[in-house]
Amino acid sequence: MKRIFVVLAVIAFSLSMQAQNKIFSKYATMDGIEFVCINKAMFNLGTKFINAAGGEDLDKLGSLDKMLIISSETTDGKKQIDKDINILTTDEDYELLMSSHSSGGDNVFIFTNKRKPHELIIGTKEQKQSSMIVIIGNFTKEDVSHFLNQ
């Protein structure tokens, strides 16, 4: 009985992780989209090399689990990214932390997931390009503030 419970818990956890990234994972195979996924192992490796070389202290990078960088300059790709940014602005699970609009038509949005507070999304809508950066990890609001003030 205990084994069944453990198996069900693992399945439920993996499904919740899939649902969390569903809005973003579709971009991995879309034409006209630049998609980069950086996983935890790469952050750990990069942190060790930079620290060993006497570089900046980047230990906080080790608390990141994943970063997705999604960008497009094509009309269809830009429309899809803009659509998903607009969905985030009205989605009750996401909180808009900051928005910036310029007279040139450039817009920047920063969101966090209310139910999963360790997810930060930065979306940009420009005239010729749109992009999203999704940061998932174990970081605090103070870490985000420190990151944005650098």
Side-chain angles (χ1 to χ4, degrees):
M1 183 70 156
K2 190 174 184 180
R3 283 185 187 179
I4 293 173
F5 179 73
V6 170
V7 169
L8 290 175
V10 168
I11 291 170
F13 177 74
S14 64
L15 290 175
S16 71
M17 292 301 289
Q18 283 181 322
Q20 176 183 17
N21 294 317
K22 185 178 178 186
I23 192 171
F24 310 111
S25 62
K26 68 182 173 194
Y27 290 108
T29 58
M30 288 179 74
D31 289 335
I33 299 285
E34 294 175 33
F35 180 87
V36 177
C37 177
I38 305 168
N39 288 313
K40 185 169 188 65
M42 185 59 88
F43 287 116
N44 290 337
L45 183 63
T47 301
K48 288 177 184 174
F49 279 125
I50 292 170
N51 287 342
E56 204 172 315
D57 182 17
L58 299 175
D59 287 334
K60 288 293 182 189
L61 283 181
S63 65
L64 299 180
D65 292 329
K66 182 181 285 190
M67 180 182 291
L68 305 174
I69 303 168
I70 304 161
S71 181
S72 183
E73 294 179 353
T74 67
T75 303
D76 290 341
K78 184 179 173 351
K79 281 182 185 176
Q80 184 63 51
I81 293 171
D82 289 351
K83 177 183 171 188
D84 284 338
I85 291 172
N86 290 338
I87 288 171
L88 290 173
T89 60
T90 59
D91 190 325
E92 292 181 6
D93 289 338
Y94 289 88
E95 178 181 0
L96 180 64
L97 298 177
M98 186 205 86
S99 65
S100 169
H101 306 280
S102 74
S103 60
D106 296 344
N107 302 299
V108 177
F109 303 90
I110 300 178
F111 303 93
T112 189
N113 190 324
K114 292 178 186 176
R115 294 188 312 161
K116 299 176 183 97
H118 303 297
E119 180 180 75
L120 185 72
I121 303 166
I122 303 168
T124 63
K125 297 194 288 187
E126 302 173 30
Q127 288 181 349
K128 296 183 180 184
Q129 177 180 349
S130 290
S131 59
M132 285 191 290
I133 300 173
V134 182
I135 304 167
I136 300 168
N138 189 19
F139 48 84
T140 65
K141 288 184 180 184
E142 291 79 23
D143 294 337
V144 172
S145 176
H146 178 72
F147 170 73
L148 293 174
N149 289 324
Q150 285 190 345

